[in-house]
């Protein structure tokens, strides 16, 4: 992926600072100061939620990308560089999701433990769409079973850094794993209630391929895997044709992507005499507001599952699995 000059300059800056601080070998010899929590730096909310659930009281998590922030387009700032350098352990999603931050995070690994949480997922499980230019689809958190595999990366990294609390991290990981198993089971049984002819999920960009595979939905995005790609008129018109031919009842906007392309689909269908509703806003590359239920991974996925099921004609409780969804 092309990296602009400003980002390249930050990559060089962090490489020089890190190189002056410690040798690569010393990164594996870091010991925890027991008088304070472990400073954990994460990129997306989904990764931050992994760290909080596994780390528990032993960690203090800093999340770089907030609600509504698109990780495909995000450029690291001066404050980000300082946060990365000040962290004890760094976790990021990987698979080129953080397109303009990836190299910066790799360089930070010369002085501290830096982990891509998706590295635990076997490549045979990953999707490689035809238009992805040889890259894997990075949106693996939309498959709860896939994201569950990332728990072990966080557990091991924290246990290696802080062996004294390894048992705590193991217990926390097991509890979180159980929560995700229950959430996935809810998704399976709820999705099965959607009529077969309605099992088409149209969203702003191709973030839901893993979601579709997990729950047997045909998924179509207006844009490609990265929001850097543009949606052409031909693509819009082709999707309008599909909406009409398949009598699709609802399409979905995304919290971190402008809604103009989805509105173009709705308007295009309306101009040809078919009403297509916006079925709701889905969380794709970012979670909900901090402090809200949707601002957790469980809440994010509960929201997405519940809204898709109900909008496409299936049956699910209005407030989701845990009766906590916002109105």
């Amino acid at each position: 992926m092309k990296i602009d000059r400003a980002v390249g300059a930050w990559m060089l800056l962090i490489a020089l600072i890190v190189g002056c601080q410690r040798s690569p070998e010393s990164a594996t010899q870091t010991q925890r100061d027991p008088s304070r929590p472990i400073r954990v730096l994460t990129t997306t909310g989904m990764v931050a939620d992994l760290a909080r659930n596994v780390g528990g009281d032993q960690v203090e998590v800093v999340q770089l990308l907030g609600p509504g922030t698109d990780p495909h387009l995000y450029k690291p700032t001066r404050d980000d560089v300082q946060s990365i350098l000040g962290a004890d352990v760094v976790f990021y999603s990987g698979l080129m999701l953080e397109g303009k931050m990836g190299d910066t995070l790799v360089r930070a690994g010369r002085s501290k433990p830096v982990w891509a949480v998706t590295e635990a997922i076997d490549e045979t499980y990953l999707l490689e769409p035809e238009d992805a230019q040889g890259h894997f689809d990075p949106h693996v958190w939309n498959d709860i079973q896939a994201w569950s595999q990332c728990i072990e990366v966080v557990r091991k990294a924290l246990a290696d850094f802080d062996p004294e609390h390894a048992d705590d991290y193991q217990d926390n990981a097991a509890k979180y794993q159980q929560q995700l198993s229950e959430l996935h089971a809810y998704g399976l049984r709820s999705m099965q209630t959607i009529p077969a002819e309605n099992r088409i999920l149209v969203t702003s960009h191709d973030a839901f391929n893993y979601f579709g595979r997990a729950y047997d939905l045909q998924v179509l995005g207006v844009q490609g895997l990265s929001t850097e790609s543009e949606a052409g008129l031909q693509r819009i018109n082709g999707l309008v044709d599909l909406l009409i031919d398949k009598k699709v009842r609802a399409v979905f906007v995304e919290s971190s992507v402008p809604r103009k392309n989805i509105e173009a689909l709705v308007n295009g269908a309306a101009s040809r005499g078919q009403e297509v509703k916006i079925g709701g806003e889905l969380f794709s590359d970012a979670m909900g507001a901090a402090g809200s239920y949707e601002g957790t991974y469980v809440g994010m996925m509960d929201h997405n599952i519940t809204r898709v099921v109900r909008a496409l004609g299936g049956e699910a409780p209005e407030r989701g699995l845990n009766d906590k969804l916002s109105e």
Side-chain angles (χ1 to χ4, degrees), residues 95 118 121-128 136-137 140 210 213:
L95 298 177
T118 53
I121 303 174
D122 192 285
E123 287 190 358
T124 59
Y125 195 85
L126 298 174
L127 296 174
E128 188 176 351
F136 292 118
D137 184 339
V140 290
Y210 291 102
R213 183 179 67 178

Side-chain angles (χ1 to χ4, degrees), residues 58-327:
Q58 306 304 324
V59 301
E60 179 182 88
V61 177
V62 174
Q63 174 186 329
L64 289 185
L65 282 67
T69 304
D70 186 342
H72 298 285
L73 303 178
Y74 188 81
K75 298 179 181 180
T77 66
R78 181 185 299 272
D79 288 343
D80 294 336
V81 172
Q82 293 303 317
S83 295
I84 291 169
L85 293 177
D88 295 315
V89 182
V90 177
F91 295 112
Y92 66 106
S93 190
L95 298 177
M96 296 187 68
L97 174 74
E98 301 94 342
K100 297 182 183 299
M101 295 186 67
D103 287 348
T104 304
L105 294 166
V106 169
R107 283 176 168 81
R110 297 174 182 174
S111 68
K112 64 183 81 270
V114 176
W115 296 82
V117 299
T118 53
E119 70 179 46
I121 303 174
D122 192 285
E123 287 190 358
T124 59
Y125 195 85
L126 298 174
L127 296 174
E128 188 176 351
E130 293 181 1
D131 61 349
Q133 301 177 331
H135 302 304
F136 292 118
D137 184 339
H139 303 91
V140 290
W141 60 87
N142 281 319
D143 180 339
I144 298 169
Q145 285 186 308
W147 197 242
S148 297
Q149 298 177 46
C150 302
I151 295 174
E152 176 59 17
V153 175
V154 177
R155 184 208 65 76
K156 184 180 185 303
L158 293 178
D160 286 349
F161 186 85
D162 177 27
E164 181 180 349
H165 294 95
D167 289 344
D168 294 331
Y169 303 135
Q170 179 65 49
D171 291 344
N172 293 343
K175 291 176 182 176
Y176 193 47
Q177 186 76 58
Q178 180 60 34
Q179 289 184 50
L180 299 194
S181 295
E182 293 172 0
L183 180 63
H184 179 57
Y186 167 69
L188 288 173
R189 64 176 180 269
S190 299
M191 292 291 176
Q192 289 173 357
T193 67
I194 300 175
E197 64 273 16
N198 294 348
R199 303 180 70 82
I200 300 175
L201 177 63
V202 180
T203 63
S204 300
H205 82 298
D206 281 341
F208 290 90
N209 292 317
Y210 291 102
F211 188 86
R213 183 179 67 178
Y215 299 121
D216 192 24
L217 299 170
Q218 180 184 356
V219 175
L220 297 166
V222 183
Q223 293 172 264
L225 286 183
S226 171
T227 51
E228 285 189 309
S229 64
E230 292 291 335
L233 182 60
Q234 183 177 1
R235 176 64 172 171
I236 297 288
N237 289 336
L239 285 174
V240 170
D241 289 340
L242 180 140
L243 297 181
I244 293 171
D245 292 344
K246 300 292 186 180
K247 296 181 172 55
V248 174
R249 57 189 293 161
V251 293
F252 298 85
V253 296
E254 299 176 27
S255 63
S256 58
V257 182
R259 56 192 293 147
K260 62 179 182 178
N261 287 331
I262 292 299
E263 291 174 343
L265 294 182
V266 171
N267 294 334
S271 71
R272 295 170 60 178
Q274 179 167 321
E275 180 185 9
V276 178
K277 297 180 179 180
I278 293 182
E281 181 181 71
L282 303 182
F283 299 110
S284 55
D285 292 342
M287 302 193 305
S292 69
Y293 176 59
E294 291 84 352
T296 67
Y297 176 71
V298 169
M300 166 193 184
M301 295 303 296
D302 189 2
H303 169 96
N304 286 351
I305 290 167
T306 302
R307 296 293 174 254
V308 168
V309 169
R310 292 175 63 86
L312 297 184
E315 298 178 5
E318 184 175 3
R319 288 176 56 83
L321 170 64
N322 296 314
D323 195 33
K324 292 182 178 180
L325 293 180
S326 302
E327 295 293 343

